[in-house]
Amino acid sequence: MKTIAVFTSGGDAPGMNACIRAVVRSAIHFGLDVYGIKRGYEGMIKGEFKKMSANSVSGIIQTGGTILRSARSDAFRTPEGRQKAYEQLKKKGIEGIVAIGGDGTFTGAQVFMQEYPDLAIVGCPGTIDNDLYGTDFTIGYDTAINTAMNAIDNIKDTANAHDRLFFVEVMGRDAGFIALSSGIASGAEAVMVPESKTSIDKLIQTLEENFQKKKNASIVVVAEGDDAGGAFQVAEAVKKRFSRYEIKVCILGHLQRGGRPTCMDRVRASRMGIAAVKALMEGQKGVMIGEWHRSIKYVPFEKAIKHNAELNPTLLEMVKILA
Ligand code: F6P
């Protein structure tokens, strides 16, 4: 293999830049030519390729977002779009690709490789949601939970000052990792996640017990994908039957996606980026780089996407014990 490319796709995550840097610098170290593809699959179709040098990735390890931009591409969902993308790659002589993203990115990569078997794509898990099977942590997750935790700490100050109950909504369309970790770390009274059935009755019981324990304020962290709805819906349902506190809602939203990556995310992203280049050089394809019990593992895309990482139930139990 002589020429590879790297792109980011789907929701951006802090640490993606550290990963791009590691891919570019390790590729150059191993004597490969490396291109950066702008705007994910969309840029691939349009031929938005840039030859990268060691300097192209200077000064980015500490930044959030992605210098290669990200996009969701409708055109790539069509065979015609994928054919155009393939032709653009061939024009540049690109044989191997590092795809940094989440399940949508890897699903696209799988279809692409089935149609064009001479392409080798290796993935790095880049998503704040931490919802990919086969890696203990995804790139961006550590930063996102710290951002959410800091925001909840701030909300606690004002909740305490005014004797209020806050419903704080964190990201996680299909997964409760961010909610659970940031909730435990900020001492939330309850955490609601898509992985477990939400009972408004039980929630009200918990809040009442806390009120009886003389807590003057409470925090409930709600994952956006919770089965009872987002924080507004849960707050509405509680408000109808529980009036011990004034109730407020705060949606943390996209602020969780940006910001300077933590040390853990920078190191993890750098390690995974190098591992992805090595995997391509070994002839691997269709696998995601996972960090599993501290070691690098190759996880077939199919497993990474379909098996979904599972929440540790003992952590959910912890919230109840510690509330
Ligand atoms: O990056 C994953 C994620 O943060 C989900 O938790 C969330 O639902 C989604 O992205 C929102 O992304 P966007 O608003 O950019 O489409």
mmCIF file of all heavy atoms in Angstrom, residues 84-130:
data_model
loop_
_atom_site.group_PDB
_atom_site.id
_atom_site.type_symbol
_atom_site.label_atom_id
_atom_site.label_comp_id
_atom_site.label_asym_id
_atom_site.label_seq_id
_atom_site.Cartn_x
_atom_site.Cartn_y
_atom_site.Cartn_z
ATOM 1 N N LYS A 84 -19.274 7.473 -7.734
ATOM 2 C CA LYS A 84 -18.499 8.715 -7.910
ATOM 3 C C LYS A 84 -17.367 8.770 -6.888
ATOM 4 O O LYS A 84 -16.236 9.141 -7.209
ATOM 5 C CB LYS A 84 -19.406 9.940 -7.714
ATOM 6 C CG LYS A 84 -20.127 10.356 -8.967
ATOM 7 C CD LYS A 84 -20.808 11.704 -8.733
ATOM 8 C CE LYS A 84 -21.901 11.885 -9.791
ATOM 9 N NZ LYS A 84 -22.992 12.736 -9.359
ATOM 10 N N ALA A 85 -17.700 8.413 -5.637
ATOM 11 C CA ALA A 85 -16.685 8.443 -4.576
ATOM 12 C C ALA A 85 -15.537 7.500 -4.929
ATOM 13 O O ALA A 85 -14.355 7.860 -4.778
ATOM 14 C CB ALA A 85 -17.317 8.033 -3.240
ATOM 15 N N TYR A 86 -15.881 6.321 -5.414
ATOM 16 C CA TYR A 86 -14.855 5.330 -5.779
ATOM 17 C C TYR A 86 -13.942 5.884 -6.890
ATOM 18 O O TYR A 86 -12.713 5.783 -6.811
ATOM 19 C CB TYR A 86 -15.538 4.036 -6.235
ATOM 20 C CG TYR A 86 -14.565 2.960 -6.674
ATOM 21 C CD1 TYR A 86 -13.825 2.234 -5.746
ATOM 22 C CD2 TYR A 86 -14.375 2.677 -8.033
ATOM 23 C CE1 TYR A 86 -12.934 1.256 -6.149
ATOM 24 C CE2 TYR A 86 -13.482 1.700 -8.451
ATOM 25 C CZ TYR A 86 -12.767 0.989 -7.497
ATOM 26 O OH TYR A 86 -11.870 0.028 -7.891
ATOM 27 N N GLU A 87 -14.579 6.495 -7.894
ATOM 28 C CA GLU A 87 -13.786 7.040 -9.008
ATOM 29 C C GLU A 87 -12.833 8.137 -8.527
ATOM 30 O O GLU A 87 -11.683 8.216 -8.961
ATOM 31 C CB GLU A 87 -14.723 7.586 -10.098
ATOM 32 C CG GLU A 87 -15.373 6.466 -10.903
ATOM 33 C CD GLU A 87 -16.614 6.914 -11.675
ATOM 34 O OE1 GLU A 87 -16.917 8.130 -11.683
ATOM 35 O OE2 GLU A 87 -17.288 6.022 -12.240
ATOM 36 N N GLN A 88 -13.320 8.969 -7.614
ATOM 37 C CA GLN A 88 -12.453 10.038 -7.069
ATOM 38 C C GLN A 88 -11.254 9.438 -6.328
ATOM 39 O O GLN A 88 -10.126 9.921 -6.463
ATOM 40 C CB GLN A 88 -13.233 10.926 -6.095
ATOM 41 C CG GLN A 88 -14.408 11.664 -6.699
ATOM 42 C CD GLN A 88 -13.991 12.863 -7.540
ATOM 43 O OE1 GLN A 88 -12.821 13.034 -7.885
ATOM 44 N NE2 GLN A 88 -14.965 13.678 -7.902
ATOM 45 N N LEU A 89 -11.499 8.384 -5.582
ATOM 46 C CA LEU A 89 -10.400 7.741 -4.826
ATOM 47 C C LEU A 89 -9.379 7.145 -5.789
ATOM 48 O O LEU A 89 -8.168 7.268 -5.593
ATOM 49 C CB LEU A 89 -10.948 6.630 -3.914
ATOM 50 C CG LEU A 89 -11.817 7.072 -2.734
ATOM 51 C CD1 LEU A 89 -12.517 5.876 -2.100
ATOM 52 C CD2 LEU A 89 -10.978 7.797 -1.675
ATOM 53 N N LYS A 90 -9.878 6.503 -6.841
ATOM 54 C CA LYS A 90 -8.983 5.854 -7.814
ATOM 55 C C LYS A 90 -8.101 6.877 -8.518
ATOM 56 O O LYS A 90 -6.923 6.636 -8.775
ATOM 57 C CB LYS A 90 -9.811 5.056 -8.839
ATOM 58 C CG LYS A 90 -10.420 3.790 -8.288
ATOM 59 C CD LYS A 90 -9.356 2.740 -7.950
ATOM 60 C CE LYS A 90 -9.335 2.401 -6.483
ATOM 61 N NZ LYS A 90 -8.389 1.356 -6.088
ATOM 62 N N LYS A 91 -8.699 8.066 -8.824
ATOM 63 C CA LYS A 91 -7.931 9.135 -9.498
ATOM 64 C C LYS A 91 -6.678 9.498 -8.708
ATOM 65 O O LYS A 91 -5.652 9.846 -9.260
ATOM 66 C CB LYS A 91 -8.800 10.392 -9.622
ATOM 67 C CG LYS A 91 -9.552 10.496 -10.930
ATOM 68 C CD LYS A 91 -10.077 11.926 -11.060
ATOM 69 C CE LYS A 91 -11.531 11.907 -11.486
ATOM 70 N NZ LYS A 91 -12.230 13.159 -11.234
ATOM 71 N N LYS A 92 -6.796 9.435 -7.383
ATOM 72 C CA LYS A 92 -5.655 9.788 -6.520
ATOM 73 C C LYS A 92 -4.814 8.575 -6.154
ATOM 74 O O LYS A 92 -3.852 8.687 -5.409
ATOM 75 C CB LYS A 92 -6.165 10.440 -5.215
ATOM 76 C CG LYS A 92 -6.907 11.739 -5.409
ATOM 77 C CD LYS A 92 -5.934 12.865 -5.697
ATOM 78 C CE LYS A 92 -6.677 14.188 -5.837
ATOM 79 N NZ LYS A 92 -5.899 15.202 -6.551
ATOM 80 N N GLY A 93 -5.224 7.407 -6.598
ATOM 81 C CA GLY A 93 -4.470 6.179 -6.281
ATOM 82 C C GLY A 93 -4.609 5.752 -4.836
ATOM 83 O O GLY A 93 -3.721 5.075 -4.281
ATOM 84 N N ILE A 94 -5.740 6.119 -4.217
ATOM 85 C CA ILE A 94 -5.937 5.795 -2.790
ATOM 86 C C ILE A 94 -6.419 4.348 -2.646
ATOM 87 O O ILE A 94 -7.433 3.959 -3.219
ATOM 88 C CB ILE A 94 -6.944 6.778 -2.150
ATOM 89 C CG1 ILE A 94 -6.335 8.183 -2.132
ATOM 90 C CG2 ILE A 94 -7.343 6.331 -0.735
ATOM 91 C CD1 ILE A 94 -7.317 9.301 -1.868
ATOM 92 N N GLU A 95 -5.674 3.590 -1.851
ATOM 93 C CA GLU A 95 -6.033 2.165 -1.668
ATOM 94 C C GLU A 95 -6.602 1.902 -0.275
ATOM 95 O O GLU A 95 -7.367 0.982 -0.072
ATOM 96 C CB GLU A 95 -4.783 1.296 -1.838
ATOM 97 C CG GLU A 95 -4.113 1.427 -3.200
ATOM 98 C CD GLU A 95 -2.623 1.132 -3.085
ATOM 99 O OE1 GLU A 95 -1.893 2.012 -2.564
ATOM 100 O OE2 GLU A 95 -2.210 0.047 -3.489
ATOM 101 N N GLY A 96 -6.155 2.676 0.678
ATOM 102 C CA GLY A 96 -6.588 2.448 2.058
ATOM 103 C C GLY A 96 -7.161 3.724 2.656
ATOM 104 O O GLY A 96 -6.714 4.831 2.321
ATOM 105 N N ILE A 97 -8.153 3.574 3.541
ATOM 106 C CA ILE A 97 -8.801 4.751 4.138
ATOM 107 C C ILE A 97 -8.980 4.534 5.635
ATOM 108 O O ILE A 97 -9.386 3.452 6.074
ATOM 109 C CB ILE A 97 -10.202 4.988 3.518
ATOM 110 C CG1 ILE A 97 -10.101 5.147 1.996
ATOM 111 C CG2 ILE A 97 -10.875 6.223 4.115
ATOM 112 C CD1 ILE A 97 -11.453 5.127 1.295
ATOM 113 N N VAL A 98 -8.722 5.592 6.394
ATOM 114 C CA VAL A 98 -9.075 5.572 7.818
ATOM 115 C C VAL A 98 -10.327 6.434 7.989
ATOM 116 O O VAL A 98 -10.311 7.628 7.685
ATOM 117 C CB VAL A 98 -7.928 6.104 8.709
ATOM 118 C CG1 VAL A 98 -8.359 6.099 10.179
ATOM 119 C CG2 VAL A 98 -6.660 5.279 8.516
ATOM 120 N N ALA A 99 -11.400 5.814 8.449
ATOM 121 C CA ALA A 99 -12.676 6.510 8.656
ATOM 122 C C ALA A 99 -12.853 6.743 10.144
ATOM 123 O O ALA A 99 -12.890 5.790 10.925
ATOM 124 C CB ALA A 99 -13.825 5.651 8.134
ATOM 125 N N ILE A 100 -12.947 8.018 10.525
ATOM 126 C CA ILE A 100 -13.112 8.337 11.952
ATOM 127 C C ILE A 100 -14.575 8.744 12.160
ATOM 128 O O ILE A 100 -15.020 9.744 11.605
ATOM 129 C CB ILE A 100 -12.166 9.484 12.388
ATOM 130 C CG1 ILE A 100 -10.716 9.182 11.983
ATOM 131 C CG2 ILE A 100 -12.275 9.727 13.898
ATOM 132 C CD1 ILE A 100 -9.759 10.373 12.136
ATOM 133 N N GLY A 101 -15.320 7.942 12.909
ATOM 134 C CA GLY A 101 -16.738 8.262 13.095
ATOM 135 C C GLY A 101 -17.442 7.210 13.926
ATOM 136 O O GLY A 101 -16.800 6.453 14.659
ATOM 137 N N GLY A 102 -18.744 7.147 13.764
ATOM 138 C CA GLY A 102 -19.551 6.221 14.566
ATOM 139 C C GLY A 102 -20.256 5.195 13.698
ATOM 140 O O GLY A 102 -19.790 4.868 12.601
ATOM 141 N N ASP A 103 -21.405 4.717 14.176
ATOM 142 C CA ASP A 103 -22.043 3.589 13.482
ATOM 143 C C ASP A 103 -22.468 3.922 12.052
ATOM 144 O O ASP A 103 -22.346 3.078 11.162
ATOM 145 C CB ASP A 103 -23.203 3.018 14.306
ATOM 146 C CG ASP A 103 -24.180 4.068 14.780
ATOM 147 O OD1 ASP A 103 -23.999 5.248 14.441
ATOM 148 O OD2 ASP A 103 -25.140 3.704 15.482
ATOM 149 N N GLY A 104 -22.961 5.149 11.813
ATOM 150 C CA GLY A 104 -23.370 5.531 10.451
ATOM 151 C C GLY A 104 -22.186 5.489 9.502
ATOM 152 O O GLY A 104 -22.286 5.011 8.355
ATOM 153 N N THR A 105 -21.051 5.970 9.982
ATOM 154 C CA THR A 105 -19.821 6.005 9.181
ATOM 155 C C THR A 105 -19.390 4.591 8.799
ATOM 156 O O THR A 105 -19.036 4.315 7.643
ATOM 157 C CB THR A 105 -18.690 6.661 10.011
ATOM 158 O OG1 THR A 105 -19.167 7.907 10.509
ATOM 159 C CG2 THR A 105 -17.427 6.862 9.197
ATOM 160 N N PHE A 106 -19.450 3.677 9.764
ATOM 161 C CA PHE A 106 -18.980 2.306 9.516
ATOM 162 C C PHE A 106 -19.994 1.514 8.679
ATOM 163 O O PHE A 106 -19.611 0.646 7.894
ATOM 164 C CB PHE A 106 -18.683 1.579 10.833
ATOM 165 C CG PHE A 106 -17.646 2.273 11.689
ATOM 166 C CD1 PHE A 106 -17.616 2.109 13.063
ATOM 167 C CD2 PHE A 106 -16.690 3.113 11.115
ATOM 168 C CE1 PHE A 106 -16.669 2.756 13.847
ATOM 169 C CE2 PHE A 106 -15.749 3.767 11.890
ATOM 170 C CZ PHE A 106 -15.740 3.596 13.262
ATOM 171 N N THR A 107 -21.269 1.841 8.845
ATOM 172 C CA THR A 107 -22.281 1.183 8.001
ATOM 173 C C THR A 107 -22.028 1.561 6.541
ATOM 174 O O THR A 107 -22.037 0.703 5.648
ATOM 175 C CB THR A 107 -23.709 1.630 8.425
ATOM 176 O OG1 THR A 107 -23.859 1.352 9.810
ATOM 177 C CG2 THR A 107 -24.780 0.911 7.647
ATOM 178 N N GLY A 108 -21.779 2.842 6.299
ATOM 179 C CA GLY A 108 -21.477 3.312 4.938
ATOM 180 C C GLY A 108 -20.230 2.634 4.395
ATOM 181 O O GLY A 108 -20.184 2.203 3.232
ATOM 182 N N ALA A 109 -19.225 2.488 5.244
ATOM 183 C CA ALA A 109 -17.948 1.884 4.822
ATOM 184 C C ALA A 109 -18.151 0.423 4.419
ATOM 185 O O ALA A 109 -17.571 -0.053 3.433
ATOM 186 C CB ALA A 109 -16.933 1.981 5.960
ATOM 187 N N GLN A 110 -19.007 -0.259 5.162
ATOM 188 C CA GLN A 110 -19.267 -1.678 4.863
ATOM 189 C C GLN A 110 -19.894 -1.855 3.484
ATOM 190 O O GLN A 110 -19.452 -2.682 2.687
ATOM 191 C CB GLN A 110 -20.242 -2.219 5.904
ATOM 192 C CG GLN A 110 -19.605 -3.065 6.949
ATOM 193 C CD GLN A 110 -20.671 -3.710 7.815
ATOM 194 O OE1 GLN A 110 -21.697 -3.119 8.103
ATOM 195 N NE2 GLN A 110 -20.420 -4.919 8.218
ATOM 196 N N VAL A 111 -20.914 -1.057 3.218
ATOM 197 C CA VAL A 111 -21.604 -1.138 1.912
ATOM 198 C C VAL A 111 -20.615 -0.803 0.794
ATOM 199 O O VAL A 111 -20.557 -1.488 -0.238
ATOM 200 C CB VAL A 111 -22.801 -0.143 1.879
ATOM 201 C CG1 VAL A 111 -23.483 -0.149 0.524
ATOM 202 C CG2 VAL A 111 -23.793 -0.456 2.975
ATOM 203 N N PHE A 112 -19.821 0.225 1.020
ATOM 204 C CA PHE A 112 -18.847 0.693 0.024
ATOM 205 C C PHE A 112 -17.850 -0.422 -0.315
ATOM 206 O O PHE A 112 -17.552 -0.684 -1.485
ATOM 207 C CB PHE A 112 -18.124 1.900 0.634
ATOM 208 C CG PHE A 112 -17.440 2.803 -0.351
ATOM 209 C CD1 PHE A 112 -17.838 2.876 -1.677
ATOM 210 C CD2 PHE A 112 -16.386 3.631 0.064
ATOM 211 C CE1 PHE A 112 -17.211 3.734 -2.577
ATOM 212 C CE2 PHE A 112 -15.757 4.488 -0.811
ATOM 213 C CZ PHE A 112 -16.155 4.537 -2.133
ATOM 214 N N MET A 113 -17.373 -1.113 0.721
ATOM 215 C CA MET A 113 -16.371 -2.171 0.479
ATOM 216 C C MET A 113 -16.981 -3.413 -0.167
ATOM 217 O O MET A 113 -16.291 -4.139 -0.870
ATOM 218 C CB MET A 113 -15.679 -2.554 1.798
ATOM 219 C CG MET A 113 -14.581 -1.582 2.167
ATOM 220 S SD MET A 113 -13.676 -2.134 3.614
ATOM 221 C CE MET A 113 -14.948 -2.148 4.815
ATOM 222 N N GLN A 114 -18.276 -3.635 0.126
ATOM 223 C CA GLN A 114 -18.935 -4.779 -0.539
ATOM 224 C C GLN A 114 -19.010 -4.519 -2.038
ATOM 225 O O GLN A 114 -18.802 -5.409 -2.851
ATOM 226 C CB GLN A 114 -20.354 -4.979 0.006
ATOM 227 C CG GLN A 114 -20.382 -5.855 1.251
ATOM 228 C CD GLN A 114 -21.601 -5.601 2.113
ATOM 229 O OE1 GLN A 114 -22.570 -4.981 1.676
ATOM 230 N NE2 GLN A 114 -21.549 -6.072 3.338
ATOM 231 N N GLU A 115 -19.287 -3.272 -2.409
ATOM 232 C CA GLU A 115 -19.403 -2.938 -3.840
ATOM 233 C C GLU A 115 -18.041 -2.822 -4.512
ATOM 234 O O GLU A 115 -17.897 -3.106 -5.696
ATOM 235 C CB GLU A 115 -20.156 -1.614 -4.002
ATOM 236 C CG GLU A 115 -21.629 -1.745 -3.709
ATOM 237 C CD GLU A 115 -22.358 -0.394 -3.685
ATOM 238 O OE1 GLU A 115 -21.692 0.665 -3.725
ATOM 239 O OE2 GLU A 115 -23.570 -0.405 -3.591
ATOM 240 N N TYR A 116 -17.047 -2.371 -3.753
ATOM 241 C CA TYR A 116 -15.701 -2.160 -4.321
ATOM 242 C C TYR A 116 -14.674 -2.883 -3.439
ATOM 243 O O TYR A 116 -14.024 -2.274 -2.581
ATOM 244 C CB TYR A 116 -15.396 -0.655 -4.416
ATOM 245 C CG TYR A 116 -16.413 0.061 -5.267
ATOM 246 C CD1 TYR A 116 -17.461 0.774 -4.688
ATOM 247 C CD2 TYR A 116 -16.367 -0.019 -6.659
ATOM 248 C CE1 TYR A 116 -18.426 1.392 -5.466
ATOM 249 C CE2 TYR A 116 -17.333 0.590 -7.453
ATOM 250 C CZ TYR A 116 -18.359 1.295 -6.844
ATOM 251 O OH TYR A 116 -19.316 1.893 -7.631
ATOM 252 N N PRO A 117 -14.544 -4.186 -3.659
ATOM 253 C CA PRO A 117 -13.725 -5.002 -2.738
ATOM 254 C C PRO A 117 -12.238 -4.650 -2.736
ATOM 255 O O PRO A 117 -11.519 -5.075 -1.832
ATOM 256 C CB PRO A 117 -13.933 -6.428 -3.252
ATOM 257 C CG PRO A 117 -15.101 -6.368 -4.175
ATOM 258 C CD PRO A 117 -15.197 -4.984 -4.693
ATOM 259 N N ASP A 118 -11.763 -3.878 -3.729
ATOM 260 C CA ASP A 118 -10.346 -3.510 -3.694
ATOM 261 C C ASP A 118 -10.064 -2.383 -2.699
ATOM 262 O O ASP A 118 -8.904 -2.036 -2.452
ATOM 263 C CB ASP A 118 -9.854 -3.117 -5.101
ATOM 264 C CG ASP A 118 -10.652 -1.967 -5.704
ATOM 265 O OD1 ASP A 118 -11.886 -1.912 -5.457
ATOM 266 O OD2 ASP A 118 -10.053 -1.124 -6.390
ATOM 267 N N LEU A 119 -11.119 -1.810 -2.115
ATOM 268 C CA LEU A 119 -10.906 -0.742 -1.131
ATOM 269 C C LEU A 119 -10.716 -1.336 0.261
ATOM 270 O O LEU A 119 -11.408 -2.281 0.632
ATOM 271 C CB LEU A 119 -12.125 0.177 -1.059
ATOM 272 C CG LEU A 119 -12.325 1.201 -2.167
ATOM 273 C CD1 LEU A 119 -13.601 1.989 -1.878
ATOM 274 C CD2 LEU A 119 -11.126 2.150 -2.253
ATOM 275 N N ALA A 120 -9.796 -0.763 1.013
ATOM 276 C CA ALA A 120 -9.607 -1.211 2.404
ATOM 277 C C ALA A 120 -9.946 -0.033 3.322
ATOM 278 O O ALA A 120 -9.313 1.024 3.229
ATOM 279 C CB ALA A 120 -8.173 -1.660 2.619
ATOM 280 N N ILE A 121 -10.938 -0.214 4.152
ATOM 281 C CA ILE A 121 -11.305 0.847 5.103
ATOM 282 C C ILE A 121 -11.177 0.311 6.529
ATOM 283 O O ILE A 121 -11.672 -0.779 6.840
ATOM 284 C CB ILE A 121 -12.748 1.370 4.874
ATOM 285 C CG1 ILE A 121 -12.936 1.791 3.412
ATOM 286 C CG2 ILE A 121 -13.053 2.536 5.824
ATOM 287 C CD1 ILE A 121 -14.335 2.294 3.063
ATOM 288 N N VAL A 122 -10.491 1.090 7.342
ATOM 289 C CA VAL A 122 -10.341 0.763 8.764
ATOM 290 C C VAL A 122 -10.924 1.945 9.551
ATOM 291 O O VAL A 122 -10.752 3.100 9.159
ATOM 292 C CB VAL A 122 -8.853 0.526 9.109
ATOM 293 C CG1 VAL A 122 -8.607 0.547 10.609
ATOM 294 C CG2 VAL A 122 -8.392 -0.806 8.518
ATOM 295 N N GLY A 123 -11.639 1.663 10.635
ATOM 296 C CA GLY A 123 -12.303 2.733 11.373
ATOM 297 C C GLY A 123 -11.646 3.058 12.697
ATOM 298 O O GLY A 123 -11.015 2.205 13.329
ATOM 299 N N CYS A 124 -11.800 4.311 13.108
ATOM 300 C CA CYS A 124 -11.462 4.708 14.481
ATOM 301 C C CYS A 124 -12.759 5.207 15.110
ATOM 302 O O CYS A 124 -13.477 6.006 14.497
ATOM 303 C CB CYS A 124 -10.426 5.832 14.499
ATOM 304 S SG CYS A 124 -8.777 5.286 14.088
ATOM 305 N N PRO A 125 -13.095 4.745 16.318
ATOM 306 C CA PRO A 125 -14.381 5.103 16.914
ATOM 307 C C PRO A 125 -14.403 6.548 17.403
ATOM 308 O O PRO A 125 -13.841 6.860 18.457
ATOM 309 C CB PRO A 125 -14.506 4.128 18.090
ATOM 310 C CG PRO A 125 -13.107 3.777 18.450
ATOM 311 C CD PRO A 125 -12.298 3.857 17.193
ATOM 312 N N GLY A 126 -15.032 7.417 16.645
ATOM 313 C CA GLY A 126 -15.100 8.834 17.017
ATOM 314 C C GLY A 126 -16.543 9.239 17.248
ATOM 315 O O GLY A 126 -17.279 9.501 16.304
ATOM 316 N N THR A 127 -16.964 9.233 18.479
ATOM 317 C CA THR A 127 -18.322 9.678 18.841
ATOM 318 C C THR A 127 -18.365 9.924 20.340
ATOM 319 O O THR A 127 -17.782 9.153 21.108
ATOM 320 C CB THR A 127 -19.404 8.636 18.477
ATOM 321 O OG1 THR A 127 -20.617 8.972 19.185
ATOM 322 C CG2 THR A 127 -19.030 7.214 18.840
ATOM 323 N N ILE A 128 -19.045 10.984 20.727
ATOM 324 C CA ILE A 128 -19.122 11.256 22.173
ATOM 325 C C ILE A 128 -20.021 10.253 22.881
ATOM 326 O O ILE A 128 -19.994 10.150 24.101
ATOM 327 C CB ILE A 128 -19.615 12.696 22.469
ATOM 328 C CG1 ILE A 128 -21.050 12.923 21.975
ATOM 329 C CG2 ILE A 128 -18.666 13.729 21.898
ATOM 330 C CD1 ILE A 128 -21.695 14.180 22.551
ATOM 331 N N ASP A 129 -20.826 9.504 22.119
ATOM 332 C CA ASP A 129 -21.852 8.650 22.739
ATOM 333 C C ASP A 129 -21.314 7.375 23.391
ATOM 334 O O ASP A 129 -22.013 6.748 24.192
ATOM 335 C CB ASP A 129 -22.905 8.257 21.698
ATOM 336 C CG ASP A 129 -23.774 9.445 21.298
ATOM 337 O OD1 ASP A 129 -23.796 10.432 22.044
ATOM 338 O OD2 ASP A 129 -24.411 9.379 20.231
ATOM 339 N N ASN A 130 -20.129 6.952 23.034
ATOM 340 C CA ASN A 130 -19.498 5.737 23.585
ATOM 341 C C ASN A 130 -20.331 4.480 23.323
ATOM 342 O O ASN A 130 -20.312 3.550 24.134
ATOM 343 C CB ASN A 130 -19.265 5.884 25.096
ATOM 344 C CG ASN A 130 -18.168 4.958 25.606
ATOM 345 O OD1 ASN A 130 -17.156 4.771 24.934
ATOM 346 N ND2 ASN A 130 -18.362 4.356 26.763
#
